Amino acid sequence: MYSFKASTGRRRASIAGVALATAALLSGCAVFQGDSGASTDGDGLVFWSMWERGEPQSEVLQGAIDEFEEEEGITVKVQWAGRDVGTRVQTATNTGDVPDLVDDAVEVLLAGAEAGVYQGLASVYEREIPGEDQTVADVIPAEYVEPYINDDGEPIVVPHSVTTTSIWYDGNKLPGVAEAPPATWDEFLALVAEAKAAGQTPFAADGTIPDYNAYWLGQMVLRQMGPGWLNDAAHDETGEAFKDPEFLAAAERLQQLVDAGYFMEGYQGSKLPAQEQAWAAGDADYLMMGSWAPLGKEEVAREGASWRTFPLPLADGGVNSVEANLLGFGIPTDAKNSENAEKFIAFFMEKDRIGGISSEANQLTPRADVEPPADLVDVAAMLESAESAHRYLDGLPSELPDWWTGVFLPADDKLFFGEITAEQFVDQLSQESAEFWKNNG
Amino acid sequence: MTDLKHSSASSATSGAGGATSPLDAQRRRLRLPFILPAVIFYTVFFVAPSLASFVISLYRWRGAGDEPEWLGLGNFLRLFNDDIFRGAFVNTLIVLLVVGAIIFALGFFFTAFVAEMRGKHLLRALIFFPSLVNPVVLAIAWGFILDPTRGALNTTLEAIGLGNLKQVWLGPQLIFPMILLTMAWMTVGLFTVILMAGADRIPVSLYEDCDLAGASIGQRFRMVTLPLLWEVAAVAAVLWVITAVKAFEFIYAFAGVGTAPPRSTWTASVYVYMQGFGSQGLPELGRASAMSVVMLIVVGVLVVVLRRLMSRQKVEF
């Protein structure tokens, strides 16, 4: 028995040695660099999209791809990669086998651009749109892309869709509001107090989604204090920036809504889409949500529902900033056919082609001359009249993800659920931010 | 028994003076070709990635074509000051201990009492059923049952006149306890089946002896079933430790929909995912790998400690 063990022991040791050597070889060679991978077609175009096959946007894009192949003679290989396309592109960057064109949420593109994954697109903006006597820059409002530039000052995205966050309601159920939406915080408060007194539930919220909960305070702060305020405060390593009295006042306004019991019963533990559907069915008056709020509500909506929206009303001294969250095209730095990618973007920007995003996918496009979908007429007007535009949640979920999920969201949830007061919220945020930077600075 | 077999085989093959038979020599020559494919497969797909994780944990690396920055043990030191990691680690231990206590208590209960019942096979199948379903599907289903607005639980309580028992089941206070309970419900079947299979091997004659001696069900369990089941229970406990520390998909699907679940529900595995792939920003693969290495060490230590604590003189039957 022992001799058996001894002889296998030596063999085991040699096998373990081979295993370790192989592992070391593999880890040494391939931990940080993959194989350089296959190159793309010399004169084709490889496109990875954030949409999945069958989604309306994929159909609009596929239509444009078919036309592009026919008119330009360029073969397009498209992969409907879905929402994690950004991760796939980042991973592919290690191998050099990247697509030539990507469409994704702008915040993901920007985070990638900061790591060198995506290139600047100034040259795309100078391109003429086929069939139109104007360039891409002429049809995309500059203020939309201003926050999304790289170190060389070039935009890293050409948007094809714009969403925003605002307060949604059924204009058919609340005709008075549809006629004259509240313009100030006081008017808004009076409106919801009246609804509550009449036995209505003013707000629905699916509280198990912390990002959605943060829409409330995010809008209160950014529309009031201006684009970039929250982002700057988050980067303050002392945490003292959060002690600004205006920030406290914004938190107090949220506390006021919570304390008054304006949110639907059980919202703290509501699982998406329970309360969103309850709102669509008419059980609550208002929903703070992105421009996708009306989508997919046909079967649960109150009969005759007509979706309308207004921006969160401002208290004194607000700056009327509106969120402009973009979905659009990016070109990887290592793309082998950037030229073809640029051609496709300019091709897609043609009014009727990008118009499919509005007419088929019911989303707003950045082109002001494309007619908005019926449900988003208010959103188009809101963006048109805004004094400035801010990033989705001021860019924090993508720029400082650890701070956002680890520091901000837990404190915001407590405030939003009525577990702490506005003062306690400010103290917690300030203190935990300082601690965060001590460990991450 | 096994030892006896080994020693007799060994003496038979060794023969007088240690000479080996031609058959034995042939066998030895064949060993390497037989085990080599498995060793290569295991090395390439398990050992190498584990070593790679350790290498990555020594760097700051975003995995997006960027140059890795050497940090040495920086990622590990940072974990000691990271409140979120501490919270996630404590949650992992709570899953391990609380859910573990529930599933083993129920597992032994079913083994002791259900095993005696008629229709035990049907019952065993019913208890086992949740283990067959994808945890993500179960998590989503439980989400809809426990939703406070339209969920089946609150709606039923209201309908049967127990509206005062309604709770915000997925609210900040109850969401983690609900995760623990539903995880226990989902996992108890698998471990019960393992324990019952162990109990099935116990000779019936021992129970007949108990009957003759007039032992109660509890005494039979304590005197016969438990001691003879101990080895199986020890293996099941090790399996549970590994399962609990890796618990991810159920919690992620239970608490989040497309976005990060609330921080209060994070276990170490969820935090690893958030750092590595789950955020909207760039990944921090170095930190995620450091956490994985720490958790691997924790599993290793727990398994060794558990094996020592549960080691008993082997009862042969």
Side-chain angles (χ1 to χ4, degrees):
Chain A
M1 197 170 160
Y2 285 105
S3 65
F4 171 78
K5 263 194 176 168
S7 65
T8 51
R10 275 196 299 277
R11 198 161 291 140
R12 264 185 213 158
S14 61
I15 290 168
V18 171
L20 279 173
T22 313
L25 193 71
L26 283 168
S27 58
C29 298
V31 170
F32 297 117
Q33 294 172 336
D35 179 6
S36 62
S39 63
T40 54
D41 289 347
D43 51 0
L45 173 64
V46 176
F47 173 33
W48 290 4
S49 171
M50 70 179 289
W51 307 105
E52 283 170 25
R53 197 184 293 279
E55 287 190 283
Q57 283 87 345
S58 73
E59 280 163 20
V60 172
L61 284 163
Q62 186 62 60
I65 289 166
D66 293 343
E67 284 180 67
F68 183 70
E69 285 185 322
E70 200 179 308
E71 288 181 27
E72 299 290 333
I74 295 170
T75 309
V76 181
K77 271 194 209 166
V78 62
Q79 198 183 105
W80 305 110
R83 302 299 185 271
D84 66 345
V85 64
T87 312
R88 292 199 197 186
V89 177
Q90 284 161 23
T91 310
T93 305
N94 292 309
T95 70
D97 186 14
V98 295
D100 302 309
L101 178 68
V102 176
D103 88 317
D104 204 346
V106 69
E107 292 293 343
V108 183
L109 292 174
L110 185 66
E114 277 164 10
V117 176
Y118 295 101
Q119 55 180 278
L121 300 181
S123 53
V124 184
Y125 280 85
E126 287 163 12
R127 278 185 179 262
E128 199 151 286
I129 298 171
E132 293 184 12
D133 195 16
Q134 51 189 347
T135 62
V136 173
D138 293 332
V139 300
I140 305 289
E143 58 269 26
Y144 284 172
V145 285
E146 236 164 54
Y148 309 109
I149 54 168
N150 63 14
D151 291 343
D152 300 329
E154 291 189 37
I156 52 87
V157 64
V158 178
H160 56 60
S161 312
V162 188
T163 66
T164 191
T165 301
S166 52
I167 296 176
W168 287 86
Y169 65 100
D170 177 356
N172 180 268
K173 182 187 167 201
L174 304 170
V177 180
E179 209 163 284
T184 66
W185 178 252
D186 290 338
E187 283 177 27
F188 181 55
L189 268 189
L191 193 69
V192 291
E194 199 181 312
K196 177 83 178 164
Q200 289 288 312
T201 302
F203 306 124
D206 288 307
T208 50
I209 308 288
D211 272 12
Y212 285 3
N213 301 341
Y215 286 1
W216 278 94
L217 189 67
Q219 290 296 310
M220 281 172 176
V221 172
L222 296 168
R223 282 181 52 68
Q224 201 70 31
M225 304 173 78
W229 189 90
L230 200 57
N231 195 305
D232 289 344
H235 282 89
D236 172 21
E237 299 195 3
T238 66
E240 290 295 305
F242 289 111
K243 295 197 169 156
D244 186 317
E246 262 199 83
F247 181 68
L248 175 64
E252 280 171 342
R253 282 194 289 280
L254 177 55
Q255 191 194 335
Q256 200 176 1
L257 302 182
V258 173
D259 288 351
Y262 290 153
F263 286 90
M264 188 182 275
E265 197 187 335
Y267 74 100
Q268 302 93 330
S270 181
K271 189 95 175 155
L272 185 77
Q275 291 215 352
E276 201 173 306
Q277 291 189 346
W279 161 78
D283 297 343
D285 286 349
Y286 306 101
L287 178 77
M288 173 73 88
M289 192 45 66
S291 308
W292 55 86
L295 297 178
K297 297 292 185 299
E298 297 79 10
E299 288 185 12
V300 291
R302 183 180 158 273
E303 206 181 323
S306 148
W307 306 121
R308 303 291 306 270
T309 186
F310 57 83
L312 182 80
L314 294 167
D316 288 343
V319 295
N320 189 19
S321 176
V322 171
E323 178 190 290
N325 191 14
L326 312 175
L327 306 176
F329 297 108
I331 300 180
T333 312
D334 298 337
K336 295 179 182 69
N337 294 304
S338 302
E339 170 70 16
N340 289 348
E342 290 193 9
K343 259 189 203 169
F344 180 80
I345 297 174
F347 185 82
F348 189 74
M349 286 298 127
E350 189 270 327
K351 188 181 170 192
D352 288 339
R353 248 170 239 126
I354 195 174
I357 294 286
S358 172
S359 59
E360 306 300 320
N362 281 317
Q363 283 300 309
L364 200 64
T365 74
R367 277 191 72 145
D369 55 352
V370 170
E371 199 180 328
D375 285 336
L376 300 181
V377 171
D378 287 341
V379 174
M382 198 189 304
L383 283 160
E384 181 79 30
S385 63
E387 284 173 35
S388 56
H390 57 257
R391 293 165 65 184
Y392 175 74
L393 295 166
D394 226 11
L396 288 164
S398 54
E399 205 175 305
L400 276 185
D402 284 353
W403 180 86
W404 182 252
T405 49
V407 177
F408 185 83
L409 290 180
D412 179 68
D413 269 4
K414 282 187 183 171
L415 176 68
F416 189 62
F417 296 156
E419 293 177 348
I420 54 173
T421 64
E423 284 87 0
Q424 288 168 325
F425 165 73
V426 167
D427 286 345
Q428 179 177 332
L429 195 57
S430 166
Q431 191 191 328
E432 290 197 2
S433 272
E435 273 171 35
F436 172 85
W437 285 111
K438 221 184 282 171
N439 291 328
N440 294 276
Chain B
M1 289 278 287
T2 325
D3 285 347
L4 277 175
K5 268 185 192 163
H6 265 224
S7 52
S8 61
S10 176
S11 59
T13 51
S14 303
T20 54
S21 70
L23 180 63
D24 190 49
Q26 285 278 11
R27 271 191 190 151
R28 285 191 179 195
R29 267 199 294 278
L30 274 175
R31 270 183 205 138
L32 195 63
F34 269 107
I35 61 170
L36 204 58
V39 169
I40 292 172
F41 189 83
Y42 191 79
T43 306
V44 170
F45 292 103
F46 294 97
V47 179
S50 302
L51 285 179
S53 285
F54 179 70
V55 173
I56 293 170
S57 72
L58 303 173
Y59 290 82
R60 178 163 200 247
W61 188 47
R62 305 192 141 220
D66 54 325
E67 197 61 39
E69 180 191 338
W70 172 258
L71 292 180
L73 294 177
N75 282 325
F76 293 92
L77 295 174
R78 184 184 169 277
L79 289 182
F80 289 107
N81 298 319
D82 184 348
D83 284 345
I84 305 174
F85 182 69
R86 272 202 293 267
F89 189 78
V90 168
N91 279 352
T92 307
L93 291 182
I94 293 174
V95 168
L96 178 69
L97 298 175
V98 174
V99 180
I102 297 173
I103 59 176
F104 279 93
L106 284 176
F108 280 122
F109 173 80
F110 288 133
T111 307
F113 298 102
V114 176
E116 305 292 317
M117 290 166 57
R118 266 191 297 171
K120 69 172 181 178
H121 293 295
L122 175 68
L123 206 65
R124 195 189 290 196
L126 286 176
I127 297 168
F128 186 66
F129 183 71
S131 306
L132 296 174
V133 184
N134 187 329
V136 175
V137 174
L138 293 178
I140 293 169
W142 273 109
F144 286 117
I145 292 169
L146 296 173
D147 177 78
T149 320
R150 299 184 156 193
L153 182 56
N154 273 358
T155 317
T156 309
L157 286 173
E158 184 78 57
I160 59 173
L162 295 173
N164 56 337
L165 294 180
K166 283 195 319 183
Q167 296 289 333
V168 182
W169 302 107
L170 303 176
Q173 275 81 32
L174 288 178
I175 189 163
F176 196 61
M178 287 299 118
I179 287 175
L180 299 178
L181 280 180
T182 46
M183 270 183 90
W185 168 82
M186 182 179 73
T187 326
V188 72
L190 176 66
F191 287 88
T192 302
V193 166
I194 294 174
L195 294 176
M196 280 184 167
D200 283 348
R201 290 173 55 241
I202 300 170
V204 183
S205 58
L206 295 177
Y207 290 112
E208 287 167 356
D209 281 351
C210 289
D211 288 342
L212 289 173
S216 66
I217 290 183
Q219 282 171 323
R220 284 164 51 139
F221 179 73
R222 202 155 37 84
M223 306 293 200
V224 177
T225 312
L226 193 58
L228 296 183
L229 204 55
W230 196 254
E231 268 296 302
V232 176
V235 172
V238 168
L239 274 179
W240 168 246
V241 168
I242 296 167
T243 309
V245 174
K246 288 198 305 190
F248 164 72
E249 71 273 34
F250 182 78
I251 297 171
Y252 192 80
F254 191 100
V257 182
T259 59
R263 194 184 79 180
S264 60
T265 64
W266 289 12
T267 55
S269 300
V270 174
Y271 192 25
V272 168
Y273 174 76
M274 293 308 297
Q275 285 275 312
F277 313 98
S279 78
Q280 292 170 43
L282 284 175
E284 286 287 356
L285 294 183
R287 284 184 204 165
S289 297
M291 279 188 254
S292 303
V293 169
V294 168
M295 294 318 291
L296 184 67
I297 294 167
V298 168
V299 170
V301 170
L302 283 175
V303 167
V304 170
V305 169
L306 203 61
R307 291 297 292 174
R308 297 225 157 181
L309 284 178
M310 296 192 76
S311 68
R312 292 275 196 285
Q313 180 106 37
K314 202 170 175 183
V315 183
E316 295 198 2
F317 56 92

